[in-house]
Amino acid sequence: MKSLSIQQLSDGLYKGITRFPLAILSAIQFTFLVIYGIEADIDPGIWYLRGVHGAQLGIPLFIALTFFAESKNYNPIKKIGVKFGGVALLLLYLLTLPETLTFINFSRFVLLTLFAHLLVFIAPSLHKGYELHFWVLAKEIILTFIECVFYAFVIGFGIFVAISAVHFLFDININNKRYPEVMSFCLIFLTTIFFAGRMQGVNSKQNMVFDYPEILKNFTQFILIPLVLLYLIILYIYGGQILMNQDWPKGWVSYLSIGFSVLGIVSIILIYPVRNDENNKWIPLFNKGFLYTLFPIIFLFCAAIWRRISEYGITENRYYLIALGVWLFFISVYTLIKRDHFIKMIPMSLSVVCILSAFGPLSAFNVSKNSQLERLNDYATSNNWLDEDGYWDTSNEKKTPKEDVDQSRSIIKYLIKNHGYASIQPYLKDSIPDTLQGVDNKYAQSRTILQEMKLIQTSDYVKENRLNFYTTHQGVDIKGYSKYFTKEAQYLKRNGDKAISISKADPVINLFIENGATKLGTLIIGDQTYNIPFPDENEMLYKKKDFMMVYKSVNGIKNEEQNTTTLTAVTFTLFIK
């Protein structure tokens, strides 16, 4: 990379702003919303999340659209049309997001983020150019991004240390929120504007003469490839052991197979430009040998995944592993057929996988939901849990067989958590929204629906009583309180969570959950400590001189023999004077 003068830097920043205006506006919006969220300590609503997600997607999307327009040599009018077409698509997607976001929406966020970043590499290379052109451009994008992140991080870290110095040397009280706010500004806004100013223009006819970094060859030859060979030896020995013992492979082998495959493909990509050099005759041998050895690994990988699917069906995580296995197989075959013309296909095919996984009938969410519903239907049919009309028989408790009851409970909890209670509605005559009126917590929704379906706890839990308290608390007098914090904590028993962080500053507030007959836990506000009693169903409010705790929902397990109450989920609002 060429060195920069102050004049070149200022000229580059000016050209970057005029070249990537929408990407920089997205960075400004993203930075502002992140800092606002830190400063206000808010519970993110749908419009806040739409703004954050839209800005976060907008940065790579508008950079990609700029690259695409430049590679096509569009005139200014067409360039503007392409960019605002991207704005329209982004707004359409954001406005279709539901008021209450689910697991599916957040999973799509991740898939679309990966897709948008892949577009940065794909967009400028859609013309019928050389594969080497794509490699050079991708290298420039990655190295420029790493350089800009490094600059932004150093600036942020420097300001971080400066703020700390002012705080400790001059005894000036500085809010702890300043630190993440400064780092957010640097890593989001400065990285984007540095990249915009530093990234060279895209030209499909640019000169392909370049200096191949020797460090890439050394890194690949002496680090990546030995690691690939190490993984290969381990996986083949394990595969031989499986054949000898005639046993199914362990699920963990899937992740090792992924590591082996990814390292091998990255190695092939990094040494692609020098594969035909006279002094590098080992490279074509390695490429072909790796691809052929990859097929048995993919088979081992698929066998491990199939074992889990045959026992527990498809979930989103297993779907992604399946999709990755199919993609690896496709890339391996394509590379063997095309030989020197496969580089572009890697991000293109991966972007297609992202879109198919996020939307449509073949998406991770539809396939997983249908798989689990099919399992639930199998259990219901084999145990005669459905009446003549196909609805769930709620007249008798499903006490046996224990394994089928437990599996059905697990499926229903999964469906409600990931796909909402509407996925269970076809099995029940009564309207689930009516049954769940006033029950907002998903854990409590699962409990209520399971009770409705008579899928009771198995015998291990007979001596435990479930506590589910809910209230709307209309007309609570909040006059005189200056601050309030709303918190929702779930799965406290399962995850072993004990501390609920309510506020990290001004003052620091934490609630420490404790198991007992009457005590919910200990509330610490600054240097003051308060014992909080377990709420009563008829009294979902606890008031002291300096604060008031108003419960919306409380879920717990009461053990009659041990006289203890274990909190599993709680939603409350804490008002501070």
Side-chain angles (χ1 to χ4, degrees):
M1 292 187 180
K2 298 180 180 179
S3 60
L4 284 175
S5 66
I6 298 297
Q7 183 62 42
Q8 288 174 324
L9 179 61
S10 61
D11 290 345
L13 291 177
Y14 173 76
K15 291 179 181 178
I17 293 172
T18 55
R19 184 182 173 200
F20 300 102
L22 293 178
I24 292 174
L25 285 175
S26 296
I28 293 172
Q29 177 181 324
F30 193 13
T31 305
F32 170 78
L33 290 175
V34 169
I35 292 176
Y36 175 75
I38 296 171
E39 185 67 28
D41 196 19
I42 63 171
D43 289 326
I46 183 59
W47 284 103
Y48 179 83
L49 291 172
R50 282 172 177 164
V52 169
H53 182 46
Q56 169 250 332
L57 279 179
I59 296 173
L61 175 63
F62 296 130
I63 289 175
L65 292 177
T66 299
F67 285 168
F68 172 75
E70 289 177 349
S71 69
K72 294 294 185 180
N73 294 318
Y74 283 161
N75 59 45
I77 300 298
K78 283 188 176 181
K79 287 182 179 180
I80 293 174
V82 167
K83 292 176 182 178
F84 279 93
V87 172
L89 288 175
L90 184 58
L91 288 175
L92 179 63
Y93 161 68
L94 294 173
L95 292 175
T96 57
L97 292 176
E99 291 294 324
T100 303
L101 299 181
T102 64
F103 166 82
I104 294 176
N105 299 117
F106 287 107
S107 297
R108 282 196 180 121
F109 289 177
V110 176
L111 291 170
L112 288 177
T113 299
L114 177 59
F115 174 76
H117 284 83
L118 288 171
L119 281 183
V120 174
F121 299 95
I122 297 170
S125 304
L126 291 176
H127 56 82
K128 296 181 179 179
Y130 296 105
E131 295 283 313
L132 188 60
H133 176 273
F134 173 81
W135 191 95
V136 173
L137 183 60
K139 183 204 73 169
E140 288 299 318
I141 292 172
I142 293 172
L143 293 182
T144 302
F145 176 74
I146 293 173
E147 180 186 12
C148 295
V149 169
F150 175 74
Y151 291 157
F153 176 78
V154 170
I155 293 172
F157 183 75
I159 298 175
F160 190 105
V161 174
I163 294 174
S164 299
V166 171
H167 171 66
F168 289 109
L169 296 178
F170 300 100
D171 292 327
I172 297 176
N173 186 27
I174 297 177
N175 194 315
N176 289 332
K177 293 178 181 179
R178 299 295 91 84
Y179 297 102
E181 289 172 358
V182 165
M183 196 57 73
S184 298
F185 172 81
C186 293
L187 292 180
I188 299 173
F189 176 72
L190 290 187
T191 296
T192 305
I193 202 166
F194 287 167
F195 182 88
R198 194 80 171 102
M199 189 62 203
Q200 298 179 0
V202 175
N203 186 350
S204 60
K205 299 179 181 180
Q206 71 184 60
N207 190 357
M208 285 296 100
V209 178
F210 73 102
D211 294 327
Y212 179 79
E214 191 67 22
I215 189 174
L216 286 182
K217 181 181 176 183
N218 293 335
F219 175 73
T220 305
Q221 185 173 356
F222 299 112
I223 296 179
L224 285 187
I225 291 179
L227 286 175
V228 170
L229 295 176
L230 176 62
Y231 284 6
L232 177 66
I233 293 171
I234 294 172
L235 288 169
Y236 267 77
I237 291 176
Y238 181 66
Q241 179 181 315
I242 289 173
L243 291 176
M244 291 179 61
N245 298 336
Q246 295 184 355
D247 193 12
W248 282 97
K250 296 180 180 179
W252 194 81
V253 75
S254 303
Y255 301 102
L256 189 60
S257 301
I258 291 172
F260 165 78
S261 306
V262 170
L263 283 180
I265 290 176
V266 169
S267 301
I268 291 175
I269 293 173
L270 290 180
I271 55 179
Y272 175 81
V274 293
R275 67 200 180 285
N276 294 324
D277 288 1
E278 185 66 26
N279 297 326
N280 297 319
K281 293 183 178 180
W282 61 272
I283 293 179
L285 294 176
F286 167 77
N287 291 351
K288 185 176 292 187
F290 166 77
L291 293 171
Y292 280 119
T293 58
L294 185 59
F295 290 112
I297 302 301
I298 293 175
F299 176 79
L300 186 66
F301 168 88
C302 293
I305 296 299
W306 176 252
R307 180 185 181 186
R308 302 296 293 177
I309 292 174
S310 63
E311 293 178 347
Y312 305 111
I314 299 175
T315 61
E316 282 78 9
N317 290 340
R318 291 171 199 145
Y319 176 97
Y320 298 137
L321 290 174
I322 296 169
L324 186 57
V326 172
W327 177 76
L328 288 171
F329 180 80
F330 168 77
I331 286 297
S332 300
V333 173
Y334 187 89
T335 303
L336 286 171
I337 295 174
K338 292 292 185 178
R339 296 188 179 182
D340 292 342
H341 304 282
F342 66 91
I343 293 292
K344 284 186 184 181
M345 182 54 64
I346 292 175
M348 288 181 179
S349 58
L350 192 56
S351 66
V352 171
V353 171
C354 289
I355 291 299
L356 291 178
S357 300
F359 301 99
L362 296 179
S363 69
F365 320 109
N366 276 329
V367 172
S368 301
K369 182 178 74 171
N370 292 335
S371 173
Q372 296 302 321
L373 284 173
E374 184 177 347
R375 289 184 65 220
L376 181 62
N377 192 67
D378 289 342
Y379 283 121
T381 302
S382 62
N383 290 286
N384 297 317
W385 291 344
L386 301 178
D387 61 21
E388 296 178 354
D389 298 323
Y391 291 112
W392 202 269
D393 184 3
T394 59
S395 59
N396 296 310
E397 294 179 340
K398 281 70 179 173
K399 294 182 180 180
T400 56
K402 178 180 181 299
E403 183 179 352
D404 288 5
V405 172
D406 289 344
Q407 287 294 328
S408 300
R409 286 170 52 81
S410 177
I411 293 170
I412 291 170
K413 288 180 179 179
Y414 160 82
L415 289 169
I416 293 173
K417 177 186 174 184
N418 290 8
H419 301 278
Y421 56 72
S423 59
I424 308 295
Q425 182 64 75
Y427 286 103
L428 298 175
K429 291 181 180 179
D430 297 332
S431 171
I432 291 182
D434 293 339
T435 305
L436 297 178
Q437 191 169 7
V439 183
D440 298 327
N441 183 286
K442 284 197 173 183
Y443 178 85
Q445 289 177 353
S446 298
R447 288 293 311 163
T448 304
I449 292 175
L450 287 170
Q451 289 173 353
E452 181 73 15
M453 299 174 78
K454 300 300 182 182
L455 288 170
I456 63 170
Q457 282 280 17
T458 55
S459 57
D460 295 335
Y461 300 92
V462 170
K463 295 179 182 179
E464 292 182 343
N465 296 324
R466 292 284 177 174
L467 304 177
N468 300 308
F469 304 153
Y470 307 95
T471 182
T472 56
H473 273 299
Q474 297 179 355
V476 175
D477 184 10
I478 60 173
K479 185 178 180 181
Y481 295 95
S482 59
K483 298 180 180 179
Y484 73 93
F485 307 90
T486 299
K487 285 292 175 180
E488 178 180 1
Q490 301 183 40
Y491 312 111
L492 293 171
K493 180 184 178 184
R494 187 185 73 182
N495 294 336
D497 295 339
K498 297 297 182 184
I500 300 175
S501 177
I502 299 174
S503 175
K504 296 181 179 179
D506 300 328
V508 175
I509 306 174
N510 292 298
L511 174 63
F512 293 90
I513 303 299
E514 301 176 21
N515 295 331
T518 59
K519 186 178 179 181
L520 182 142
T522 302
L523 178 67
I524 299 179
I525 303 176
D527 56 359
Q528 298 294 318
T529 301
Y530 305 91
N531 290 324
I532 307 298
F534 201 92
D536 184 83
E537 185 173 9
N538 300 318
E539 187 61 36
M540 296 281 282
L541 182 150
Y542 182 68
K543 190 174 183 180
K544 295 290 285 186
K545 179 181 178 181
D546 300 323
F547 72 90
M548 177 173 60
M549 183 174 284
V550 179
Y551 299 97
K552 184 176 181 181
S553 65
V554 177
N555 308 110
I557 303 171
K558 188 171 183 179
N559 190 303
E560 299 291 350
E561 286 189 349
Q562 300 178 5
N563 194 28
T564 59
T565 302
T566 302
L567 194 68
T568 55
V570 61
T571 302
F572 62 88
T573 300
L574 179 67
F575 295 90
I576 304 291
K577 288 189 176 180

